Amino acid sequence: MAKIDKTAVAEGEMQVVAFKLRKEEYSFNILNVQEIKDLTDITRVPYASDFIKGVINLRGSVLPVIDLKKRLGLMDTPYTDDTRIVIVKVEDVSVGMVVDGVTEVLVFNQSEIEVAKSVNNEIGRFISGIGKRNDRLVIMLDLDAIVGVTDELK
């Protein structure tokens, strides 16, 4: 289990936790990330949406777990030793997100972030921007959209 250091960044910068889904790199704003934990047993919940993997017990609290690849409409891949559950908090709801592996914490200047206005498909509603650094692109996900539209989590 890894705690996240949310050290202040300069104004005009955004700190994100970067992770892999399949071969692409995505991120969450670090202010929403509570911790990162190894994959653990997930208890299935009957009649939940297909992207809700189930629930876990985290220090006495029961948290829903979302399979982020399914939520984003990506093809499934088997879990590996790098698979992690990223615990995020949106408003007052804590949720686990299954990702293929956490890569690092990055800091982007506003000039390195492009608003994802050109992405106009189903997944586009979950993207808040794209971080660009050299030849590297990091897709920034909108947690409010990912979590906020799921009635099962409230």
Side-chain angles (χ1 to χ4, degrees), residues 32-46:
N32 295 104
V33 178
Q34 293 182 301
E35 68 181 88
I36 300 164
K37 65 184 272 84
D38 290 336
L39 191 62
T40 184
D41 289 335
I42 299 172
T43 304
R44 290 283 306 147
V45 177

Side-chain angles (χ1 to χ4, degrees), residues 8-36:
V9 294
E11 191 170 328
E13 292 182 335
M14 177 187 270
Q15 195 171 18
V16 298
V17 174
F19 56 89
K20 292 279 193 179
L21 291 176
R22 300 188 52 79
K23 294 185 190 294
E24 304 300 325
E25 200 166 19
Y26 294 81
S27 67
F28 295 135
N29 188 320
I30 199 165
L31 298 176
N32 295 104
V33 178
Q34 293 182 301
E35 68 181 88
I36 300 164

Side-chain angles (χ1 to χ4, degrees), residues 8 19 21 29 45-46 49 51 57 60 63 73 81 92 96 105 111 114 122-123 126 131 142 154:
F19 56 89
L21 291 176
N29 188 320
V45 177
S49 296
F51 60 85
N57 182 348
L63 301 181
D81 290 340
D92 290 331
V105 173
S111 63
E114 186 171 312
E122 181 66 24
I123 195 175
F126 299 127
D142 181 352
K154 298 204 175 183

Side-chain angles (χ1 to χ4, degrees), residues 89-119:
K89 189 166 190 168
V90 181
E91 294 175 24
D92 290 331
V93 179
S94 291
V95 180
M97 302 277 182
V98 178
V99 301
D100 289 338
V102 174
T103 53
E104 63 186 306
V105 173
L106 296 167
V107 178
F108 285 103
N109 295 315
Q110 287 301 325
S111 63
E112 296 175 302
I113 299 172
E114 186 171 312
V115 178
K117 56 187 172 288
S118 62
V119 182

